[in-house]
Amino acid sequence: MAQRLSFDELVIVLEDILQKAGTSPDVAAIIAQNCAACERDGSKSHGIFRMRGYVSTLASGWVDGAAQPVVEDAAPSFLRVDAQNGFAQPALAAARPLLLDKLRENGAAVLAIRNSHHLSALWPDIEPFADEGYIALSVVNSMAVTVPFGAKRAVFGTNPIAFAAPVAGDLPFVFDMATSAWSHGDVQIARAEGRLLPEGVGVDAGGAPTRDPNLVLEGGALLPFGGHKGSAISMMIELLGAALTGGKFSTEVDWSRHPGAVTPHTGQFILLIDPARGGGLPFDLRAAEFTQTMREAGLDHLPGVRRHKNRAKALQSGMTLDADAWANLDKLRQFGIAGLNG
Amino acid sequence: MAQRLSFDELVIVLEDILQKAGTSPDVAAIIAQNCAACERDGSKSHGIFRMRGYVSTLASGWVDGAAQPVVEDAAPSFLRVDAQNGFAQPALAAARPLLLDKLRENGAAVLAIRNSHHLSALWPDIEPFADEGYIALSVVNSMAVTVPFGAKRAVFGTNPIAFAAPVAGDLPFVFDMATSAWSHGDVQIARAEGRLLPEGVGVDAGGAPTRDPNLVLEGGALLPFGGHKGSAISMMIELLGAALTGGKFSTEVDWSRHPGAVTPHTGQFILLIDPARGGGLPFDLRAAEFTQTMREAGLDHLPGVRRHKNRAKALQSGMTLDADAWANLDKLRQFGIAGLNG
């Protein structure tokens, strides 16, 4: 039957699953918080839906759930982390204090994470910086599932880009979007729910347009959003996420010897800017003016607002997981990936 | 009759026009080089086509063609410039030496230009950084001509974003694109040539979709590329180009008391990264691998390549301006904007 949990209760369940699957307590805490936050905010494609992927990847030996990230101080405004084949989020957590020192001292700072796995949304990585008054931009490449505009084969990952900025007296401005027309997770959900895709989202194994999520997921590929322009942004994301960080390009991800692995092993780029160094009036006041202008122009849904509404509701009255979802978590907790595959 | 000129000859003609229109020799040299480079590279919408706009704006008193930019050292990795109501390109030129020092010392550097006018493409601003081995990203907001996805009124400019990165043994990777579905210049060219626009480029004064460039340019508006995703990127550009720099938002540009003015008076954001601070193999080698992968996937036109082909041709055999274009330049040179309006 459906289960009602508080955010903290869900975190404890997820931590337990992750630790039993082989992560260290530190990593379990970070990934569980992240995953529960996605569920809480209505980012369903990165919520508990992803737990199967975390557990099966850990079971496959593709990712090291107990990796100890190594932080490298490359320059006054440039920090690198070798995630040591672990998840990207613990690498960010390890770098965060020094990264913020660099940002405050120099006005801008780059974090280049490599040798890392990212299976979540990007907004949980950057929204906390906006909460502290900073501007943050992040991109991550993934595995080759998206065909560049005008090309014949998949080269890009879904390659999300996320941006966060503080807004005076309001929630931070945060967007987080795949540069493929859809995210892979949303195509998987469409398949699970038996829905067709809109036009322009994907192609089949032969490169022909299709609306069938099965054909896209089995040998087919996604298309970039926005034609050649979205495609150019996805190229930039490969260059920043992989070439700059020292991570793998999406085409180089090869988990064929690790059946069950689903986490892209690539790199992540994060840029932070301290808007207090900028010109003119305080940034957050100007950002508030701008969001007001957009509302007056008739824009009802500013990026990030829907997530915060979901969050407020979940924090007040808890989250309801349907019976299947809860049963799956319970199987993962008791039996690991065998609980779902058996 | 049609006129054949070398690049340097065209620069001299344009400098002469600009100085007669009231710019200082320094500013004339910078803008003439920039405009001639766009013409040379086939960026026609930012080439000599724009000279009328430069001259009429200078005549209107909206921009100060002799402004002396003031460079402000905000932090070790953050430089600001007050362009003093002049063009953005001389502001960048004034900041460039210190900006490069900051970049080399710290691994990353932000340049925030405000109180500036930008009427050209962005690639001429950033490609030289890639030629020196650096990664560069720039955005500039303009005047409210683009309706946010889901809104009713124009809020964004055409808000271009440009990115440049070095590629070993090859031309730099450079893209430069409006985040509106089309640039304003291209819509103006379509009108001049009597062509209809494709679907999804613009709306008329009532907000209804239209393919008529006249209706888009006269009271209508552009649409963002790529639906809500392109719209989110354009929001980011307003925040970086205006709120961070201290420049005006696109909605705040008001040249109503300066008839003839066409240059947006906003701000420009430039980010530089030194890829030598990154992890793994040298960035430019990895970028070369990546461009090779894209070619193998069937991508014939990598961003920036067509411009470089045009450039090579123009540098070898000069540029041919058709009779009308040459006659217009000659009128601007002899009589200023009255030569074209009379």
Side-chain angles (χ1 to χ4, degrees), chain A residues 159-185:
Chain A
N159 291 9
I161 180 169
F163 177 79
V167 180
D170 208 339
L171 301 168
F173 175 95
V174 183
F175 72 73
D176 176 6
M177 61 199 201
T179 53
S180 51
W182 274 33
S183 75
H184 223 238

Side-chain angles (χ1 to χ4, degrees), chain B residues 141-216:
Chain B
N141 65 313
S142 51
M143 67 280 192
V145 293
T146 305
V147 182
F149 182 83
K152 297 180 176 68
R153 284 204 308 274
V155 172
F156 309 144
T158 54
N159 290 10
I161 179 169
F163 177 79
V167 181
D170 208 338
L171 301 167
F173 174 96
V174 183
F175 72 74
D176 176 6
M177 61 199 202
T179 53
S180 51
W182 274 33
S183 74
H184 223 239
D186 284 331
V187 176
Q188 288 171 45
I189 287 180
R191 170 160 75 173
E193 295 179 354
R195 284 186 284 114
L196 284 179
L197 307 173
E199 301 284 350
V201 170
V203 294
D204 66 20
T210 181
R211 298 186 56 198
D212 183 342
N214 290 294
L215 295 179
V216 170

Side-chain angles (χ1 to χ4, degrees), chain A residues 172-261:
Chain A
F173 175 95
V174 183
F175 72 73
D176 176 6
M177 61 199 201
T179 53
S180 51
W182 274 33
S183 75
H184 223 238
D186 284 332
V187 175
Q188 289 171 43
I189 287 180
R191 170 162 74 173
E193 295 179 354
R195 284 186 284 114
L196 283 179
L197 307 173
E199 301 283 350
V201 170
V203 295
D204 65 19
T210 180
R211 298 186 56 199
D212 183 342
N214 289 293
L215 295 179
V216 171
L217 293 171
E218 290 157 20
L222 297 165
L223 292 167
F225 91 99
H228 75 278
K229 295 188 178 189
S231 195
I233 290 177
S234 204
M235 287 177 207
M236 174 181 80
I237 291 172
E238 293 286 338
L239 291 173
L240 293 176
L244 178 65
T245 65
K248 288 188 196 308
F249 290 119
S250 298
T251 49
E252 295 171 332
V253 174
D254 178 12
W255 49 39
S256 57
R257 287 186 295 175
H258 296 270

Side-chain angles (χ1 to χ4, degrees), chain A residues 74-77 80 106 149 151-153 175 177-178 180-181 229 232 244-247 249 252 277-279 286 296-297 299, chain B residues 74-77 80 105-106 149 151-153 175 177-178 180-181 229 232 244-247 249 252 277-279 286 296-297 299:
Chain A
S77 286
R80 295 190 301 250
N106 300 309
F149 182 82
K152 297 180 177 69
R153 284 204 307 275
F175 72 73
M177 61 199 201
S180 51
K229 295 188 178 189
L244 178 65
T245 65
F249 290 119
E252 295 171 332
R277 308 297 189 149
R286 292 286 283 159
E296 287 167 7
L299 201 65
Chain B
S77 287
R80 295 190 300 250
E105 189 163 330
N106 301 309
F149 182 83
K152 297 180 176 68
R153 284 204 308 274
F175 72 74
M177 61 199 202
S180 51
K229 295 188 178 188
L244 178 64
T245 65
F249 290 119
E252 295 171 332
R277 307 297 189 151
R286 292 285 283 158
E296 286 167 6
L299 202 65

Side-chain angles (χ1 to χ4, degrees), chain A residues 10-31:
Chain A
L10 180 59
V11 170
I12 290 170
V13 172
L14 302 184
E15 275 189 81
D16 192 25
I17 293 170
L18 289 162
Q19 282 201 53
K20 285 182 172 140
T23 67
S24 65
D26 288 357
V27 169
I30 290 167
I31 300 293

